[in-house]
């Protein structure tokens, strides 16, 4: 009797693939149309579950309790007011930035929705107090001893009905010279939504226009004459004209944007102090006019346009504002992002990324075994 041939052992690669199939967990099915929305027990990062996880960590729990006690003292300030979030509340929010509470969500059909939303707003209240980043950069300055001291100095010198303009300008000059560049540029070059007048007003008031700028706009050429009579102002103006100068008709700039911005901020506190012209856009200008310039009208308009129609300065300011927006929203997600993230929430309820590739591996394996 002829004995059938003994089966050959499977190659090691096949054994490894089989073992992998046995060890991998089954792939969860994606939610199909008409499937029920996730409940609280299925929602992987609901604020209720994140709160329970936080309670198990003494540091997280203490920070949350402290932030919860802060909510009654946090109020939305007027544009002319100082930030009203206490430093210890901001510190507590900072301690929670790496906890699961930061990314938690509340589904509209989940149980205990009120309790969930209460947790969400407790965590995000200090961070999303106001939609404008100008307020948030002001908060950062307040938390820095040097920035806060310098800002209070020019705030006191530039406020009140009997403000002395030369004292105000001197303190402004000191602030932009001595404050750390990220703080100074953050206060003045903070981005605002187009319709957020409160944010725009706070940004414009950084230079205290009621005191730092002349009450009656002089002729721009007269303003330049006053600047040239002061060695510091003259050198700062030459620096600005050098580093923010378009080289050709296409607007190619003489130097990099960062150098142009430093030269621009260097003029603040001098006779040529520029500022934003309104609360709704980022156009800047000198506080002067070209009316009555006579035969020097073209020269005057050229000087005035070097601030108000300078493509190098405009793009440098826009680029810095984009950077500030990205910088803040990477660390401090806007509450709107939580709503957007809900559309992609709960990875356990979606197909895993390895599922299609796993199927593509199984098919050759099955064919291989059938041929073996």
């Amino acid at each position: 009797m002829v004995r059938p041939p003994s089966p050959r052992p499977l190659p090691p690669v096949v054994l490894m693939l089989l073992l992998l199939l046995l060890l991998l967990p089954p792939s969860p099915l994606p939610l199909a149309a008409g499937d029920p929305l996730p409940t609280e027990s299925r929602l992987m990062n609901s604020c209720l579950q994140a709160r329970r996880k936080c309670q198990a960590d003494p540091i997280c729990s203490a920070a949350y309790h402290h932030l919860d006690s802060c909510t009654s003292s946090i109020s939305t300030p007027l544009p002319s007011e100082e930030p009203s979030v206490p430093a210890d509340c901001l510190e507590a929010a900072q301690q929670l930035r790496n906890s699961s509470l930061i990314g938690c969500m509340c589904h509209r059909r989940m149980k205990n929705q009120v309790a969930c939303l209460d947790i969400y707003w407790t965590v995000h209240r200090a961070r999303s107090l106001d939609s404008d980043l100008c307020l948030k950069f002001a908060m950062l300055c307040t938390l820095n001893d040097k920035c806060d001291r310098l800002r209070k100095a020019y705030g006191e010198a530039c406020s009140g009905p009997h403000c002395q303009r030369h004292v105000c300008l001197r303190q402004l000059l000191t602030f932009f010279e001595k404050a750390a560049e990220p703080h100074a540029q953050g206060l003045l070059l903070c981005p605002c939504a187009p319709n957020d007048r409160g944010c725009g007003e706070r940004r414009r008031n950084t230079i205290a226009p009621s005191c730092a700028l002349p009450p009656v706009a002089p002729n721009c050429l007269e303003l330049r004459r006053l600047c040239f009579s002061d060695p510091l102002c003259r050198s700062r103006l030459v620096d600005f004209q050098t580093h923010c100068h378009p080289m050709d008709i296409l607007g190619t700039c003489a130097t990099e944007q960062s150098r142009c911005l430093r030269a621009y901020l260097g003029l603040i506190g001098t006779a040529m102090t520029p500022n934003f012209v309104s609360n709704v856009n980022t156009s800047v200008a000198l506080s002067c006019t070209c009316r009555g310039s006579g035969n020097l009208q073209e020269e005057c308009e050229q000087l005035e346009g070097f601030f108000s129609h300078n493509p190098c300065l405009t793009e440098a300011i826009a680029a810095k504002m984009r950077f500030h927006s990205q910088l803040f929203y990477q660390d401090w997600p806007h509450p709107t992002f939580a709503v957007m993230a809900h559309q992609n929430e709960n990875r356990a309820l979606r197909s895993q990324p390895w599922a299609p590739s796993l199927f593509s591996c199984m098919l050759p394996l099955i064919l291989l075994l059938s041929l073996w």
Side-chain angles (χ1 to χ4, degrees):
M1 183 176 63
V2 179
R3 299 178 61 184
S6 301
R8 288 177 290 177
L10 293 175
V13 64
V14 177
L15 290 174
M16 291 179 63
L17 288 173
L18 287 172
L19 181 61
L20 177 64
L21 291 176
L22 292 174
L23 293 178
L24 286 175
S27 174
L29 296 176
L31 287 177
D35 284 351
L37 292 172
T39 60
E40 178 187 343
S41 61
R42 298 171 65 191
L43 193 60
M44 295 299 292
N45 195 27
S46 75
C47 291
L48 293 170
Q49 291 177 336
R51 177 70 187 98
R52 287 192 287 269
K53 184 177 179 181
C54 178
Q55 286 177 326
D57 180 359
I59 297 178
C60 180
S61 182
Y64 178 84
H65 279 297
H66 186 79
L67 196 60
D68 188 31
S69 67
C70 290
T71 55
S72 60
S73 62
I74 297 177
S75 60
T76 302
L78 297 174
S80 58
E81 294 178 341
E82 289 293 311
S84 57
V85 180
D88 56 336
C89 297
L90 289 175
E91 184 179 355
Q94 183 79 357
Q95 290 176 344
L96 293 175
R97 61 180 299 179
N98 294 323
S99 74
S100 58
L101 286 165
I102 296 302
C104 75
M105 294 169 286
C106 298
H107 195 276
R108 63 187 179 90
R109 296 189 183 181
M110 69 184 300
K111 298 177 182 179
N112 300 324
Q113 185 187 57
V114 175
C116 184
L117 289 174
D118 182 64
I119 296 171
Y120 177 87
W121 286 116
T122 295
V123 175
H124 291 275
R125 176 65 170 158
R127 305 186 319 123
S128 58
L129 170 66
D130 201 315
S131 62
D132 68 80
L133 294 187
C134 290
L135 176 61
K136 295 178 181 180
F137 275 107
M139 291 177 181
L140 289 180
C141 179
T142 302
L143 292 175
N144 180 272
D145 291 339
K146 184 176 182 180
C147 184
D148 186 45
R149 174 172 48 81
L150 292 170
R151 184 165 174 257
K152 285 180 178 178
Y154 87 73
E156 294 173 0
C158 298
S159 61
H162 304 292
C163 165
Q164 294 181 303
R165 182 168 175 256
H166 69 282
V167 178
C168 172
L169 289 177
R170 185 168 62 247
Q171 292 296 336
L172 269 175
L173 190 66
T174 300
F175 175 82
F176 283 97
E177 282 182 343
K178 296 186 176 181
E181 187 175 273
H183 287 299
Q185 292 191 2
L187 280 173
L188 187 62
L189 304 175
C190 47
C192 296
N195 60 344
D196 194 341
R197 292 177 178 270
C199 178
E201 183 178 353
R202 185 172 289 107
R203 176 175 60 196
R204 188 164 176 255
N205 284 344
T206 297
I207 308 182
S210 61
C211 180
L213 304 181
V216 178
N219 185 276
C220 293
L221 296 178
E222 174 62 18
L223 201 64
R224 185 179 64 180
R225 187 192 66 80
L226 290 174
C227 179
F228 278 3
S229 66
D230 175 53
L232 177 63
C233 184
R234 181 172 64 249
S235 65
R236 296 287 177 88
L237 180 58
V238 171
D239 190 51
F240 172 72
Q241 292 175 327
T242 300
H243 294 290
C244 294
H245 181 67
M247 297 293 290
D248 53 38
I249 194 172
L250 297 178
T252 304
C253 304
T255 55
E256 62 274 10
Q257 293 176 342
S258 60
R259 192 65 190 85
C260 175
L261 284 181
R262 291 191 192 101
Y264 174 75
L265 268 64
L267 285 171
I268 298 175
T270 70
M272 300 291 289
T273 297
N275 197 10
F276 296 102
V277 298
S278 74
N279 299 333
V280 296
N281 57 46
T282 58
S283 299
V284 300
L286 293 171
S287 182
C288 62
T289 179
C290 284
R291 290 192 298 269
S293 297
N295 295 334
L296 300 177
Q297 181 73 21
E298 183 177 350
E299 181 181 353
C300 182
E301 291 178 352
Q302 184 179 9
L303 173 63
E304 193 276 334
F306 209 86
F307 290 84
S308 59
H309 299 91
N310 186 330
C312 296
L313 177 62
T314 300
E315 180 53 34
I317 291 175
K320 180 57 68 171
M321 289 185 176
R322 288 194 298 268
F323 171 76
H324 285 157
S325 179
Q326 294 168 1
L327 179 69
F328 236 110
Y329 285 144
Q330 284 174 359
D331 281 346
W332 302 80
H334 195 278
T336 306
F337 293 174
V339 179
M340 297 171 61
H342 174 66
Q343 300 173 3
N344 300 317
E345 69 183 0
N346 204 350
R347 296 181 180 179
L349 299 177
R350 301 202 306 269
S351 297
Q352 297 297 324
W354 44 261
S357 59
L358 179 61
F359 177 78
S360 64
C361 294
M362 289 175 61
L363 183 58
L365 177 59
I366 294 172
L367 292 175
L368 180 62
L369 292 175
S370 65
L371 295 174
W372 194 262

